[in-house]
Structure formats: C-alpha cells, structure tokens
Amino acid sequence: MKKKRFGLWTLILACLGAVIISGGTVFLIMGRQVQSLQATNESMGKINTIYNVLYNNYYKEVNRQKLVDGAITGMVNALGDPFTEYMDESESQSLNDSISGSFGGIGAQVQKSGNELKIIAPIADTPADKAGLKANDVIVKIDGKETKDLTLNKAVSTMRGKVGTKVKLTIKRGDTTFEKTLTRAKIPVTTVEGKLDKDDPKIGWITVASFSENTAKEFKQTIQSLRKKGATSFIVDVRNNPGGLMDQALAMSSMFVENGKPLLQVQERDGAPTVYKASNKLDDGFKVKEKTVVLINGGSASAAEIFAAALHQSANVTLVGTRSYGKGTVQNTLPFSDKTELKLTIAKWLTPDGTWIHHKGLRPDVEADYPKVAYLPTIDTKKTYSEGQNSKQIRNLKQMLAFLGYDVEDTSEFDAKTKAALEKYQTENHLAVTGTADKETVQNIEAKTAQKVAKEDNAYQKAKEQLEK
C-alpha cells in the first residue's frame, strides 16, 4: 500500500450474505438475484431507441462503446451518490488489489531522495530480492523512462502491473550502472504493524492501515507478539484507515467483545436490520481482555468506523482523536465480462446501538490531534519560490519553517526575513544555500516537518494517559 505524504491525510462477490468494505466503502452481497438487464419496460425502450438513433444517424461515426459507457455513467451519476460508480478495468483492478491485500509488482520498498529513486530494501523472496537488488541501489530508469522527474507515486505505479509481465530497470550501484529485467509477481501487503512504546514498554501500539484479506490474522499475530514482549495494554490506531473487508473488521471487533453482544447492524431498503454479534465463529475464540484505547480521526472510514464503534459501544473502549469520516452506506459490486464493474449502494450500516453515522462520524471521548501544520497541503514543487513573491503556497511553507523553529512572519509574502530563514535552514541541512525554495529544499522541509509532527502526536499521548487511568 502506498504511503501518503503527511499533508495528504489526505469487494467482491463472495458467498451469499457476506459483508465487505474497501477504500472507505462497505460492500454487502445482495441476498436477492440480480435480474437480467432487458429492455422490457417503457424506460428501457426509450434508452434503446435513443442509442440506435445516435449510433445510426449522428452526422459523424459514433463509437459504440462510448455510447454504452456514457449511458451507464449517466444513469449512475443521476443518483447523486459518490459511492455508486461505474469502474473501468483499471479502477476495478485497483479495487481488487486493495481487497486482496496484494498487487503485481517487483517487491522493493523505495523512496524519493532528491531526484533519485532509491531502494530502501527488497522484500524477501520477491522478484527484486531474487534479482539481487540491494538497499541504496538507485533506479535510474523504468522501461527506458527516466525516474528523476517522476513522483514517487508515479514511479511505484509504473513498476506495478499484471502478475507475469516484465519490467526492465536500469540500476545504478556506486559507479556501476546495469539493467535487470524482472517478472512481476504477487506482492503481499502488510496492513498491521505493532511495536512497544519507547517510554513505556508495557504499552503495545498497533497501527492498522486498512482491512484486507489477512488483516485479522496479522492483527492476532501482532497482539500475540506484543504480549510475549511484555505488553499489558494496547493502543489500536486506525487513523487515516479508509476501510477494507468487513469480515476482517468483524473478526477483529469480536476479539474485544463478549460473545453475543452486537458488533454491527446492516439494513437494506426493505426489512429489519441484520445484526452481527461477537462469537467464537468470528474470532476463533481469541479474545483481547487487556485495557485498550482506539485512535480515530477524519480519515478513519467505513470498516475502521465499524471496528471503533463496536469496541466503543459493546466493549466500553475509549476513543481518542478527532471525529471520524462518517461513511454509513453499503455497496455491492457487479462484475462484467469486459473486466469493468458496477459498484452500487444497496443498504446502510448502523452501529451496535442502531445509530447511523453517515455524514456525522464517530465522536471521540477525548479530543486530541496532530499540530495544525500536519494538515497543510503539500507545496507545488514545480515552482521555485523567491524573494518578492506572494502566494498561499509561500504562507504554507513559512508555517512549516516556523514549526521547525525558524524566525518567519505568518504572512504570504516572501520577504527578506523568509530568505534569511531559508538560507539558515539550507546551511543546517547541508543543502545548496540559495535563499530560494526550490524542489529539493521544499521536499526536505516537508520531510522534516512530517518527522516532527510524528513526534508531537498529541492524540497518541492522550491515549497513553487513558491507559494509565
């Protein structure tokens, strides 16, 4: 899963009745048969007539597929529902990758350092590892395309692709440059990470990035590992978690909730809600009885909200952070033979006590957040900022500099004081001292800001205080 820069905090048909979530969306497999799409009523007859008239009589030749896609997209957009959409092959594949918790790729963790795309480390037993790629290797080209001008996200997406296809990399190692052709393979994504608090090793900090096919299994293993290391309480962090598979969220929720207590309600257009309850069937008898706090924020959506609400309402777990996203509808996907998919809203989900949080979100018991600078948008690095200029981007840059301890005024003007602060920053961080904010300087400032933001995690500190009560 690609990692967002700090300023951007910014499925699948299974057995009948299964519930799933991905990318901030909950999916419920419909319990009723999808009827064959036939133009048997007046409305469909009208659509069919218009299609034929346009295709056969428009003054220029018309692409048949464009008409079909346009008709489908128009019907979907008429609903005014951002969670109902017609997805092309690429979007469908991306959705399926997010659900499976894996993707086709080479298996190398990379980072952008200045203009260089560097390998942090190859993942064991992946194409990158087998090809002998090493940490600090620089990927100069991908299929002949220079990487120096590619964003990190673009470079990563270029190296990903269908399992079994090939990608040619030009690698620089020290003074040597060579080429490697790798065959993409299925690369698993780890969605759960756990570690002991550096100041209090009895606290286990577990970050859940999304809810994919193996998340509940990873979560259980992480709990067991932290217990062996001495953890006697846990902070479960689902901030900026956009969702995932609902069966995983239910399994994880059940670990904290007494059997028989509600975890979730799902209500379709007609009929009473279906209530899902904690059980050994969901959690395999694995229970977490240690004191726990859950961290949420505006990026916590769908499955993350289901998990947080279940623990809060049915296990009396304290929520710390900021109000969650508020995604309370349920979708189903209908795949087609051309690898496109229709994703449509068919129900809403409710918290254990029957509350619908759509557009409202979950309110934390204890409000706390990162410093405000964490939510500044990233700076446009296609421009260089210099003395005499005035813009909102410059003000954001100055706020980051102020956060890092440099003396600047809170204005949008690039004045002499700003230039002096930049020169001091560049000197202290071994950058070319120009007094201007070029791409390298801006990226360095953003990285330093992100590092300091992570250290000043007020919500995490509040969560620790709750565990100590």
Side-chain angles (χ1 to χ4, degrees):
M1 175 172 292
K2 67 183 181 182
K3 184 177 180 181
K4 294 183 179 179
R5 296 173 68 187
F6 82 96
L8 299 179
W9 340 80
T10 32
L11 334 197
I12 333 317
L13 299 175
C15 59
L16 190 66
V19 181
I20 53 186
I21 306 177
S22 180
T25 304
V26 183
F27 293 82
L28 172 67
I29 305 309
M30 290 184 285
R32 51 185 178 271
Q33 289 260 325
V34 178
Q35 300 298 316
S36 297
L37 300 178
Q38 299 177 353
T40 57
N41 56 40
E42 182 179 344
S43 297
M44 293 307 297
K46 185 176 182 180
I47 292 173
N48 188 51
T49 298
I50 292 174
Y51 167 83
N52 283 307
V53 168
L54 292 176
Y55 183 73
N56 293 304
N57 297 287
Y58 188 63
Y59 83 103
K60 292 193 296 184
E61 186 175 347
V62 177
N63 182 287
R64 187 186 298 273
Q65 192 59 49
K66 282 188 176 181
L67 282 181
V68 173
D69 289 344
I72 295 172
T73 300
M75 286 189 287
V76 169
N77 290 344
L79 298 174
D81 178 7
F83 303 110
T84 295
E85 58 182 321
Y86 175 61
M87 300 178 291
D88 61 24
E89 182 178 352
S90 175
E91 293 167 330
S92 297
Q93 184 61 52
S94 177
L95 182 64
N96 292 330
D97 286 345
S98 68
I99 312 170
S100 65
S102 65
F103 57 87
I106 66 169
Q109 296 175 325
V110 296
Q111 67 177 3
K112 199 74 187 287
S113 178
N115 289 328
E116 293 185 333
L117 183 67
K118 284 187 176 181
I119 294 178
I120 301 173
I123 300 171
D125 201 32
T126 63
D129 182 40
K130 294 175 181 178
L133 300 188
K134 299 179 179 180
N136 295 317
D137 281 352
V138 177
I139 302 175
V140 181
K141 296 180 182 179
I142 304 172
D143 285 334
K145 296 180 180 179
E146 299 275 354
T147 61
K148 62 181 180 180
D149 296 322
L150 295 179
T151 64
L152 179 60
N153 286 343
K154 181 62 176 177
V156 169
S157 65
T158 303
M159 287 187 286
R160 290 185 180 183
K162 187 176 181 180
V163 172
T165 59
K166 296 184 182 298
V167 58
K168 184 170 71 174
L169 304 181
T170 302
I171 305 294
K172 182 179 179 182
R173 181 181 296 165
D175 296 327
T176 304
T177 300
F178 56 94
E179 291 185 348
K180 288 281 186 179
T181 298
L182 286 66
T183 301
R184 295 182 177 96
K186 184 176 181 179
I187 309 299
V189 177
T190 301
T191 58
V192 182
E193 293 184 0
K195 61 183 178 181
L196 297 177
D197 182 83
K198 63 179 182 179
D199 299 318
D200 187 348
K202 291 185 178 180
I203 297 176
W205 182 9
I206 304 172
T207 301
V208 184
S210 64
F211 291 81
S212 299
E213 286 181 353
N214 294 315
T215 300
K217 179 181 177 181
E218 292 176 17
F219 188 77
K220 178 181 177 180
Q221 292 172 340
T222 302
I223 291 282
Q224 292 172 324
S225 175
L226 291 174
R227 280 173 173 170
K228 289 180 180 179
K229 294 177 181 178
T232 58
S233 61
F234 299 105
I235 295 173
V236 182
D237 193 343
V238 293
R239 289 176 295 180
N240 305 311
N241 181 320
L245 299 178
M246 190 173 190
D247 63 345
Q248 301 296 298
L250 288 173
M252 287 169 53
S253 300
S254 186
M255 295 176 190
F256 294 84
V257 177
E258 181 182 337
N259 286 349
K261 287 191 174 182
L263 302 174
L264 171 73
Q265 299 184 40
V266 175
Q267 186 171 23
E268 296 183 56
R269 182 166 65 182
D270 302 314
T274 299
V275 180
Y276 294 82
K277 299 180 180 180
S279 67
N280 288 340
K281 184 177 180 180
L282 284 174
D283 57 39
D284 292 326
F286 181 80
K287 294 293 185 181
V288 181
K289 297 184 178 180
E290 292 90 343
K291 189 170 184 179
T292 300
V293 172
V294 173
L295 287 171
I296 60 172
N297 70 355
S300 305
S302 290
E305 292 175 295
I306 289 171
F307 173 78
L311 269 62
H312 184 239
Q313 294 184 6
S314 293
N316 297 316
V317 168
T318 299
L319 302 183
V320 175
T322 60
R323 189 192 307 207
S324 66
Y325 181 82
K327 170 66 177 61
T329 55
V330 178
Q331 282 73 37
N332 175 45
T333 57
L334 176 64
F336 297 99
S337 59
D338 61 357
K339 298 183 180 179
T340 61
E341 291 185 0
L342 175 66
K343 177 162 65 75
L344 67 156
T345 301
I346 60 168
K348 59 184 180 182
W349 68 264
L350 314 173
T351 62
D353 68 2
T355 300
W356 194 34
I357 67 164
H358 199 54
H359 296 317
K360 300 174 183 177
L362 297 169
R363 284 186 174 277
D365 301 295
V366 179
E367 292 198 5
D369 200 3
Y370 288 105
K372 290 183 178 180
V373 70
Y375 297 98
L376 289 176
T378 52
I379 308 298
D380 182 1
T381 54
K382 293 180 181 179
K383 301 178 181 178
T384 295
Y385 305 92
S386 57
E387 189 172 4
Q389 295 179 348
N390 192 307
S391 71
K392 188 174 182 179
Q393 300 256 17
I394 291 172
R395 182 170 189 172
N396 293 341
L397 182 65
K398 291 172 71 175
Q399 288 179 346
M400 293 181 198
L401 284 169
F403 180 67
L404 293 173
Y406 293 86
D407 186 17
V408 291
E409 301 292 337
D410 187 17
T411 67
S412 58
E413 180 184 359
F414 195 123
D415 52 17
K417 205 169 186 179
T418 305
K419 181 179 180 181
L422 270 174
E423 289 175 342
K424 183 179 180 182
Y425 180 89
Q426 290 168 331
T427 300
E428 294 176 349
N429 289 276
H430 311 292
L431 300 168
V433 181
T434 62
T436 62
D438 58 8
K439 182 177 180 179
E440 185 177 9
T441 297
V442 169
Q443 289 181 337
N444 193 284
I445 290 172
E446 289 181 334
K448 293 287 186 182
T449 302
Q451 291 170 9
K452 187 177 180 183
V453 163
K455 292 178 181 178
E456 298 185 14
D457 189 344
N458 301 322
Y460 180 77
Q461 295 304 319
K462 289 291 185 181
K464 286 177 61 176
E465 292 175 11
Q466 291 298 310
L467 290 177
E468 293 168 359
K469 288 185 177 181

